[in-house]
Amino acid sequence: DIQMTQSPSSLSASVGDRVTITCRASQSISIYLNWYQQKPGKAPNLLIYTASSLPSGVPSRFSGSGSGTDFTLTITTLQPEDFATYFCQQSYTTPYTFGQGTKLEIK
Amino acid sequence: QVQLQESGPGLVKPSETLSLTCTVSGASMSSSSYFWGWIRQSPGRGLEWIGSISYSGSAYDHPSLRSRITMSVDTSKNQFSLKLNSVTAADTALYYCASEKEVYGSGSYVYWGPGTLVTVSS
């Protein structure tokens, strides 16, 4: 199975900050990397697909980049509703696998 | 808007079979644009992909669960189902049904149910 490793595991930031979360795959996954946002008690929500594409309705302050094994999720100008846990997931091959999550907390 | 809702027992005894159903609304399960999947989440194992199935019954599942999993689709009821047999405490988790949509690529789960907690205990 492809292992997905996120860093950091947790992050404190303030409203208006810019934050970056990284995800590394144990082997090349091309651009088949997705990001999800999960709020407490809710299902994950697809934020980014194929490394850098935004589904309709996702604010443009979210962006993704990377290919191969190294990927980043960037949130510019943090909003109060962005404080949540973020997961990366590879969709290059089954079994699809997820990172362990990055909890973004208010400083 | 596509909506999914899981249903099934919240408590299953060890060695028995976990059975869950996902009811889909807002989309036709007969469409080739979707794949229908199961994902579980637990504190110890995080998010774990279980498997996906198409309207025609073509399925992909996690190799570590393959011997215990059965997935099926009932397009007439707009439902798909998961059976996991010989459960142990390690199968205790929040189980989500979710769907992939072709435009977002295979393995990108754009629609999710709210999740259902399944506890394995005697």
Side-chain angles (χ1 to χ4, degrees):
Chain A
D1 300 359
I2 296 175
Q3 305 302 314
M4 306 301 295
T5 304
Q6 288 181 236
S7 61
S9 297
S10 63
L11 176 60
S12 294
S14 301
V15 172
D17 284 354
R18 172 190 175 106
V19 299
T20 298
I21 298 169
T22 64
C23 179
R24 175 165 288 176
S26 60
Q27 66 182 73
S28 177
I29 57 171
S30 185
I31 61 166
Y32 297 101
L33 190 283
N34 307 311
W35 289 98
Y36 296 86
Q37 178 193 66
Q38 186 177 34
K39 295 183 179 179
K42 300 293 187 182
N45 180 51
L46 182 65
L47 212 54
I48 303 277
Y49 64 100
T50 53
S52 61
S53 298
L54 271 64
S56 59
V58 173
S60 59
R61 64 181 180 272
F62 293 95
S63 64
S65 64
S67 65
T69 60
D70 294 311
F71 301 86
T72 60
L73 169 69
T74 299
I75 312 171
T76 58
T77 318
L78 270 175
Q79 298 300 301
E81 61 268 28
D82 299 336
F83 293 95
T85 301
Y86 294 84
F87 295 92
C88 62
Q89 175 231 346
Q90 64 83 15
S91 53
Y92 178 73
T93 188
T94 60
Y96 303 133
T97 47
F98 293 83
Q100 81 280 14
T102 295
K103 187 173 184 179
L104 177 56
E105 298 175 302
I106 300 175
K107 185 182 288 184
Chain B
Q1 177 71 357
V2 179
Q3 293 185 310
L4 294 84
Q5 179 68 57
E6 305 88 354
S7 60
L11 181 64
V12 182
K13 290 183 168 54
S15 79
E16 296 191 345
T17 297
L18 178 161
S19 295
L20 296 175
T21 296
C22 184
T23 301
V24 179
S25 59
S28 168
M29 290 196 66
S30 299
S31 169
S32 60
S33 297
Y34 297 94
F35 248 71
W36 310 98
W38 294 95
I39 294 159
R40 65 184 182 181
Q41 185 173 29
S42 62
R45 302 165 78 102
L47 283 162
E48 182 178 27
W49 178 79
I50 297 171
S52 291
I53 188 168
S54 74
Y55 76 98
S56 64
S58 297
Y60 302 90
D61 49 30
H62 200 300
S64 71
L65 300 172
R66 185 164 296 152
S67 63
R68 298 195 290 134
I69 281 180
T70 303
M71 291 185 291
S72 60
V73 172
D74 187 339
T75 56
S76 67
K77 294 182 179 178
N78 246 31
Q79 293 178 333
F80 60 105
S81 299
L82 170 71
K83 292 186 188 300
L84 179 65
N85 60 34
S86 305
V87 297
T88 70
D91 295 309
T92 293
L94 185 59
Y95 284 75
Y96 293 104
C97 60
S99 73
E100 309 166 33
K101 190 174 181 182
E102 189 177 36
V103 66
Y104 297 117
S106 297
S108 303
Y109 290 92
V110 62
Y111 303 114
W112 293 67
T116 188
L117 179 62
V118 178
T119 302
V120 178
S121 175
S122 55

